[in-house]
Amino acid sequence: MEATISMKTATNTPTSLVSLQSIHSRPKFTFFKPNPLGISMAQNLPLSIRAQKSELKEAAAGISESDALKVKEWEVGMFQDEVAASQGIRIRRRPPTGPPLHYVGPFEFRLQNEGNTPRNILEEIVWHKDVEVSQLKGRTPLLLLKKALESAPPVRDFIGALKAANLQTGLPGLIAEVKKASPSRGILREDFDPVEIAKAYEKGGAACLSVLTDRKYFQGGFENLEKIRNSGVKCPLLCKEFVIDAWQIYYARTKGADAILLIAAVLPDLDIQYMTKICKMVGLTALVEVHDEREMDRVLGIDGIELIGINNRNLETFEVDISNTKKLLQGERGRRIQERGIIVVGESGLFTPSDIAYVQEAGVKAVLVGESIVKQSDPTKGIAGLFGKDISC
Ligand SMILES: O=P(O)(O)OC[C@@H](O)[C@@H](O)c1c[nH]c2ccccc12
């Protein structure tokens, strides 16, 4: 484990860096907990979760009521991770030993250990999202969002559009993704104009559009969603986000989304249940994404699910295998899905008409495609190439 200490100046720039020797035991440094919640509470906390919790309680005794509430939130977060692990969820929602950066007066400690270093890209994204969302929430509290929703334009029927396209063309309805970059593929398109791409997709026969709103890892943004929504494009819009907090659902709706992604690899069953209810309340369609059999079985155990996405890409390793769609729709699972009238979307790694035919044969009524069409100089033609024919009327 590597530990460094730096002295912070007024501008927060390190003026001296002292690299401490590798420490093999757990660090004994003073650190601030829980830093992402913005509480300055220096405690010599042992790093095991349980000990941390009880000491946090003691610490809470000496702090303000609102800070104590934040401490409570942190404790609940730690508990959520334990519940999630029991459901086979490997993604931890928060770093169990606290963030790697800690501040004591003018000093900044960077302590890296297995408890505060993300194990894979999905975990890193989720940890970053946690900090991002708590900052956004501070700026626009839920009450304000709810107020804004009173005058929001009506949502468009996402599932209806997919079904209609499927009926009309006999091919899976297309959700075309407005995607500039991804952590696995880097920049997909340099001359990225989200509205132009959205219009080209609509012209090419897309039933719905998916808009990446994550900035740090996908170079997306909510302004893209808003711009597309206000540009006259009629296709219903999916907000492609990493949702970890119900607040994001309300936020997406105020920015013009008609549907939102919920990722089963990140969210425990109760969260999916609760968030799909909130989606219904505000009129959004929830696209619940699974990647393996266990996630599919968890999601099939939840009432009220109408739309399931099978991601052919493993978000932890980036491996893509389109036979994943077939594997998850075989046998009893496929039968249950049909009985319940759930629409399945085949997601990721689809490039050719034979890829489309393969996932359609497996049972999907819709597909979600980004890379293969966003990379084409003319995305309208890209869609015709993907399906092997013009699907635009
Ligand atoms: O570019 P592709 O391989 O066609 O994939 C599109 C879409 O499926 C992918 O972007 C995606 C599926 N699920 C996600 C969750 C988060 C971010 C991105 C995704």
Side-chain angles (χ1 to χ4, degrees):
M1 178 195 344
E2 186 69 18
T4 56
I5 303 176
S6 61
M7 174 78 102
K8 287 189 295 163
T9 62
T11 58
N12 217 8
T13 320
T15 50
S16 70
L17 274 174
V18 184
S19 188
L20 298 183
Q21 74 279 27
S22 277
I23 302 166
H24 296 292
S25 60
R26 301 210 125 196
K28 291 277 190 296
F29 291 103
T30 301
F31 80 101
F32 287 45
K33 194 74 181 84
N35 210 25
L37 305 174
I39 303 169
S40 294
M41 195 175 60
Q43 295 288 316
N44 259 321
L45 298 180
L47 293 176
S48 93
I49 296 170
R50 279 177 216 293
Q52 218 169 292
K53 280 184 190 169
S54 66
E55 292 204 12
L56 276 168
K57 270 190 201 127
E58 281 168 31
I63 60 175
S64 75
E65 214 172 283
S66 72
D67 281 355
L69 200 68
K70 288 176 183 168
V71 171
K72 204 83 217 149
E73 270 181 22
W74 177 258
E75 285 186 295
V76 170
M78 301 308 292
F79 176 66
Q80 278 174 342
D81 274 352
E82 287 170 26
V83 171
S86 76
Q87 291 170 11
I89 297 175
R90 292 178 298 277
I91 300 301
R92 300 164 298 174
R93 290 271 281 276
R94 289 190 174 96
T97 64
L101 267 187
H102 309 288
Y103 305 98
V104 179
F107 294 103
E108 179 183 276
F109 292 81
R110 179 178 289 282
L111 299 178
Q112 238 138 12
N113 59 38
E114 76 278 13
N116 64 23
T117 309
R119 289 189 289 224
N120 55 57
I121 184 70
L122 182 56
E123 197 162 82
E124 185 184 324
I125 294 172
V126 165
W127 290 4
H128 183 265
K129 197 56 72 183
D130 190 49
V131 178
E132 185 187 300
V133 170
S134 36
Q135 285 165 357
L136 282 171
K137 270 168 93 173
R139 262 181 263 151
T140 318
L142 189 57
L143 269 179
L144 270 186
L145 291 181
K146 286 188 174 167
K147 194 93 205 123
L149 284 188
E150 287 169 14
S151 54
V155 285
R156 287 166 288 195
D157 182 359
F158 197 86
I159 295 181
L162 292 176
K163 282 184 178 168
N166 178 233
L167 272 178
Q168 203 179 346
T169 62
L171 291 163
L174 171 65
I175 308 170
E177 188 153 276
V178 180
K179 182 183 195 180
K180 179 171 184 183
S182 75
S184 61
R185 297 283 202 238
I187 304 263
L188 295 169
R189 194 183 177 100
E190 288 288 354
D191 63 330
F192 184 81
D193 178 339
V195 171
E196 208 178 279
I197 294 168
K199 287 187 170 165
Y201 283 160
E202 185 163 77
K203 194 168 152 219
C208 300
L209 307 181
S210 161
V211 183
L212 256 317
T213 49
D214 177 80
R215 194 175 308 283
K216 185 168 159 77
Y217 298 92
F218 290 85
Q219 299 193 28
F222 277 94
E223 67 279 8
N224 294 350
L225 191 66
E226 243 176 345
K227 276 191 216 154
I228 294 170
R229 178 85 213 224
N230 296 329
S231 70
V233 165
K234 292 191 187 59
C235 291
L237 305 179
L238 169 74
C239 171
K240 201 65 167 324
E241 244 310 328
F242 294 86
V243 173
I244 51 163
D245 189 310
W247 179 91
Q248 293 166 279
I249 298 172
Y250 291 88
Y251 189 65
R253 172 79 171 92
T254 64
K255 297 291 178 185
D258 304 290
I260 192 159
L261 186 74
L262 302 176
I263 303 177
V266 171
L267 299 168
D269 300 0
L270 213 57
D271 281 7
I272 296 178
Q273 213 175 331
Y274 165 67
M275 288 180 181
T276 47
K277 285 208 174 114
I278 292 182
C279 285
K280 285 210 172 111
M281 260 167 53
V282 300
L284 292 188
T285 298
L287 170 59
V288 185
E289 178 176 298
V290 301
H291 174 68
D292 59 26
E293 288 103 327
R294 185 161 184 179
E295 288 170 9
M296 178 65 101
D297 292 342
R298 281 177 48 216
V299 169
L300 289 178
I302 299 171
D303 280 340
I305 303 288
E306 294 170 317
L307 189 63
I308 295 181
I310 299 180
N311 198 351
N312 297 315
R313 179 176 293 114
N314 180 330
L315 291 174
E316 295 177 39
T317 62
F318 294 146
E319 261 164 52
V320 182
D321 178 1
I322 67 167
S323 72
N324 198 45
T325 296
K326 189 171 177 186
K327 188 169 80 184
L328 267 59
L329 289 176
Q330 260 161 3
E332 185 54 25
R333 290 188 184 93
R335 272 192 292 281
R336 281 175 73 191
I337 287 168
Q338 260 197 338
E339 270 165 28
R340 286 170 58 179
I342 296 171
I343 300 289
V344 178
V345 184
E347 300 180 355
S348 308
L350 303 170
F351 287 85
T352 64
S354 71
D355 290 344
I356 300 291
Y358 177 82
V359 290
Q360 181 169 25
E361 179 68 18
V364 309
K365 295 271 189 288
V367 287
L368 173 53
V369 184
E371 180 177 347
S372 69
I373 48 176
V374 83
K375 272 182 143 175
Q376 308 299 320
S377 54
D378 180 353
T380 303
K381 287 197 187 125
I383 293 176
L386 172 70
F387 284 89
K389 65 183 215 185
D390 183 359
I391 57 156
S392 67
C393 45

